[in-house]
Structure formats: C-alpha cells, structure tokens
Amino acid sequence: VYLETYGCQMNVNDTEIAWAILQKNGYARTKDLGEADVILLVTCSVREKAEQAIWNRLQHLKALKAQRQQARLPLRIGILGCMAERLKEEILHREKLVDIVAGPDAYRDLPRLLAVAESGQQAANVLLSLDETYADILPVQTSAGGTTAFVSIMRGCDNMCSYCIVPFTRGRERSRPIASILQEVRMLSDQGVKEVTLLGQNVNSFRDMSEVQFQSAAAPVLSRGFSTVYKAKPGGLRFAHLLDQVSTIDPEMRIRFTSPHPKDFPDEASVLQLIQERHNICKQLHLPAQSGSTRVLEAMRRGYTREAYLELVHHVRESIPGVSLSSDFIAGFCGETEEDHQQTVSLLREVRYNVGFLFAYSMRQKTRAYHRLQDDVPADIKKRRLEELITAFREEAAKANQAMVGQSQLVLVEGPSKRSASELCGRNDGNIKVIFPDAEIEDAAGCEALVRAQPGDYVLVKVTSASSQTLKGVLLCRTTLSRSAAC
C-alpha cells in the first residue's frame, strides 16, 4: 500500500491510524508508487484548491492504472478522509477510476472495502459515527525523525461556523478516553519522542465521559462576550485535567495543543495557569480569529465580538508572560466590505502574531454560508485583501521576532536545515523555526568532550537575526528541558 496525505495535521494522524489498521491486516507499506498494489489518498475538503489537487493527482494515476491493466497487474485506488465524505457519488462515478471511498470514521472498514475492490466492484463507507475515536488503535508514527508526534484527542466539531465544512465531513464532536491518550503518550515517551501535539478540531472543549464518577460535573460557563449555537454539556473530565495528566508523564517532553476555540478559554483559567506553571507545556497558543470585524464574525457565527477576542488576548498575555500567539484569518468572506477588511488588518497589527495561517474565502457546499449567504466578494478583491493581510502579518511578525535578537532560546533539534547541509534547524518554545550552525558544542552537564547536536536534543541558541518566518543564531550548549527551566 502507498499512502499520500493532503491537508491538515488531523489527516497526517488519520494516515497513521489507517496504516496501523492495514498493517495489522497483513499489508506492507511502500514509498515507491511503482510497486504499490493499492494507492490511498487521504484528502482535505476545507478549500476548493485542496480538492482540485486531488482531481489533478487522479488524472496522473489514471495513466498509471491503464498501464497496469495492460500488464495484467491490478492497481486499486482509494480516496479517504474529508473529500470522500463530501463527494462520494462524484468520486465513484467520475471516470470509474476510484475503487474505494472511505470517510474519516470508516478506517476500520478498510480491509473489507479493499477485499470487495479485489473482486472488481467499487466499495464505499462514508457513515459518520457518534462515538468512533479509534481509541484502541495506536497510530504508527511516521513524522520527522521520530522527534515529534501528534496525538489525536477528539474528532469532529459542534461549532457550526457558517463557512466551515468540518462538521459535515468529520461529524459531531466526541472525545477519546483520557486513559487511551495517556497510554499513547507514554508509548511515545518510551520511543524517545521529545514533543507531542494534542490534536483536535476544538481541543479545549474536550470532554471524556468514559468514567462514571465524573459524569455529574457542571457544564462550563462562557465568559462575557462569548456565545455558542449549542448548549454547553455537563459532565466529563475536561481539557485542563487531560493537559495536567499528559504534562506529568515525561518532564523532558514538550507538550503543545491545537486547535482551540477562543470561546472555550474563559472558563479554562486553569489551562492558562498550567501553561504558565509547567516548564514542558509550551508557552504558545493558537487563537483563531478569522476576522477583525464584529459584523463579519457574526456572519461567520464565531460566537464573539472583536472586543471580546481582544480582551481574551490581553488576558492570555497577562497570564502567560512572553506567550507566542498564532491565528487563522479568512479574506473576502460573504458580505465583507472594505471597512471590515481594514478592521482585520488593524487586528493583525494590534495583536502582532508570531505565526499566521491566512486564506482567501472558498465557498463550500452544505455549509450555512452556502445556503444563506452570497459569495459576493470578487476573486481579484479577495486576492488583493489576502495579500494585504499577509503583508501586515509579516511586518508585525518580523517585529515580534526581532525582539528576540540577543536572547537565548531553547530549541528542540529536528534535523538538517533544508537550505544548507552545514546548518541544523529546530523550533523554540513558541513554535518558531530556528536555524543554527551544525558545530561542536559543550554539554551543560559539564562533560569534558565536545558534542554535536542530534535530532531530539535540546540546545540553547543565541539569536543573532530574525525575519517574519525564522530566527537565526549561534549554538551555546546542549542542555535538557528540566535544566533549562531551572536556570
């Protein structure tokens, strides 16, 4: 089987789950397209561009499949994930190229679907589940050098933002039992993984209902200026409890999480407190804003005003000094005026994010915006507004990063830099890329011999220059997470 992943980090994790299931069923994995019997594409539906990449890829695979048929060597092609969920009929009928279609909750069914495809029939399962979390399947990790890993803690989303396809392609929100998450993190720690990111569409609304004694806990309260389209549910162990437990497993393992929703922070003062107190929970938060205009935020059904969002940002910065912030923004949403756009530019300037993910709006079928709103901002105006947002973001990020010049940063080494074999790269606590020379250095433990930094090592780097994307610096010494925190 040959696996190809498109889209978000959830899809990378889904690829690892699908592979774990196939491996147990006797499949071997290949990195060579030419020797594959089965090609599976794990797809994304968030924007039209993501889907177009898959249609283009299928055209390329069509020729490969035709060659195989001539040589009497059957090749099965499968579409997995969000696009499978959204476009099942169209995928199966277009040119009869695809043999199997499996939605995000159907990966356990892959062996059966492939067996049906062996007999020459097309097979599909896009049933969404109310309880599938793949809790008992430990994903087979395939990420960079085994230094970092992603652990899925929940699936689906209940927020129903008007632009978003996710509730329709990934289903309703459900959380994985804490015990199974802790088991996976311990296993990763034993394997030497040094950084784990807890993954979910909406991690801070995590709610594990698997233990009876916690089912009577009160529902969380939202703070001033925040609302939801659904009623907050009582019971269960919350995200703060999970974060507390995960962070105590290995003091040398960094913990991150993404993506939270701004509305779920106010009641979670304990989450902010944990980030501030624990040396191994990264002082970094993703706070997706999407727009800086209250009018547009209302049309998007985000559940907060510009003022409430800014109040939260100030609260976060007060609670966690030196926190690094990242965000998502959409340019040209339905009905967005020039004034709305300028308010988003001013929010980018005011908050000064370290990392940003910015996109032009792409209308998706099934969403509330598709049924109720008009995609009325012309493509050329979306493009210009997106470029203006990117420019504002980069200018502010460059200033934020410039402030770190002269400081020492603790960096987790990931491997060689892409641009130069004589340099290494890694990320600091704030998830910003840091480039530094691959040179011999001292170890902070005081051993006499000089050492070379390896992937998975923590090093101190003195920052000498900065851009909007990266920091550059010189190596000071090799250290550990605990020793660095103690200093």
Side-chain angles (χ1 to χ4, degrees), residues 27 37-38 40 65 74-78 98-101 110-124:
Y27 281 81
D37 307 298
V38 177
L40 300 177
K65 194 168 185 178
L75 174 65
R76 307 282 172 229
I77 294 173
V98 174
D99 302 285
I100 78 156
V101 169
L110 281 172
R112 184 189 69 83
L113 295 172
L114 285 164
V116 172
E118 282 296 309
S119 68
Q121 300 173 65
Q122 287 182 313

Side-chain angles (χ1 to χ4, degrees), residues 235-403:
L237 288 169
R238 300 283 166 175
F239 184 61
H241 180 85
L242 172 67
L243 194 58
D244 173 39
Q245 296 279 302
V246 168
S247 68
T248 55
I249 287 173
D250 180 351
E252 287 302 308
M253 181 192 264
R254 266 182 180 171
I255 309 298
R256 301 187 189 278
F257 57 87
T258 199
S259 193
H261 191 291
K263 72 175 168 51
D264 295 312
F265 271 110
D267 191 50
E268 287 281 24
S270 48
V271 167
L272 300 180
Q273 200 178 331
L274 275 170
I275 297 170
Q276 198 262 319
E277 284 173 7
R278 300 279 160 89
H279 74 272
N280 62 334
I281 303 178
C282 292
K283 313 282 178 277
Q284 175 240 326
L285 265 190
H286 187 61
L287 285 181
Q290 307 301 1
S291 172
S293 155
T294 294
R295 204 181 66 79
V296 173
L297 287 168
E298 195 175 330
M300 289 177 163
R301 297 182 103 191
R302 288 294 289 168
Y304 50 84
T305 60
R306 175 195 176 98
E307 291 71 29
Y309 179 86
L310 280 170
E311 205 174 302
L312 172 63
V313 168
H314 295 316
H315 174 52
V316 165
R317 287 201 157 133
E318 276 171 19
S319 307
I320 311 162
V323 68
S324 165
L325 294 181
S326 56
S327 195
D328 301 332
F329 286 93
I330 294 170
F333 184 64
C334 308
E336 183 186 73
T337 64
E338 201 55 39
E339 188 191 342
D340 293 325
H341 165 64
Q342 289 306 328
Q343 287 187 353
T344 304
V345 173
S346 81
L347 185 79
L348 277 162
R349 299 251 182 235
E350 189 173 336
V351 177
R352 187 173 286 175
Y353 299 95
N354 300 80
V355 178
F357 304 92
L358 301 95
F359 304 99
Y361 175 61
S362 176
M363 175 77 88
R364 313 312 288 133
Q365 282 177 344
K366 292 189 180 172
T367 60
R368 185 182 172 87
Y370 179 79
H371 292 296
R372 303 281 181 91
L373 304 172
Q374 293 278 298
D375 187 5
D376 53 3
V377 179
D380 57 333
I381 293 179
K382 280 183 189 172
K383 185 168 180 278
R384 170 184 61 78
R385 287 180 185 171
L386 177 62
E387 283 164 3
E388 286 175 13
L389 293 184
I390 290 171
T391 300
F393 158 71
R394 284 197 174 145
E395 285 173 2
E396 297 305 322
K399 289 176 195 166
N401 291 349
Q402 200 65 42

Side-chain angles (χ1 to χ4, degrees), residues 24 51 71 193 197 206 227 239 269 289 352 356 358 375 432 446 467:
K24 278 199 181 100
E51 289 187 355
V193 167
T197 302
F206 177 88
S227 63
F239 184 61
R352 187 173 286 175
L358 301 95
D375 187 5
I432 297 159
S467 71

Side-chain angles (χ1 to χ4, degrees), residues 17 24 30 48 60 95 141 157 182 212 251 306 309 468:
I17 288 168
K24 278 199 181 100
T30 178
E48 202 174 324
H60 173 78
E95 297 154 13
Q141 294 293 334
C157 185
L182 298 179
V212 175
R306 175 195 176 98
Y309 179 86
S468 64

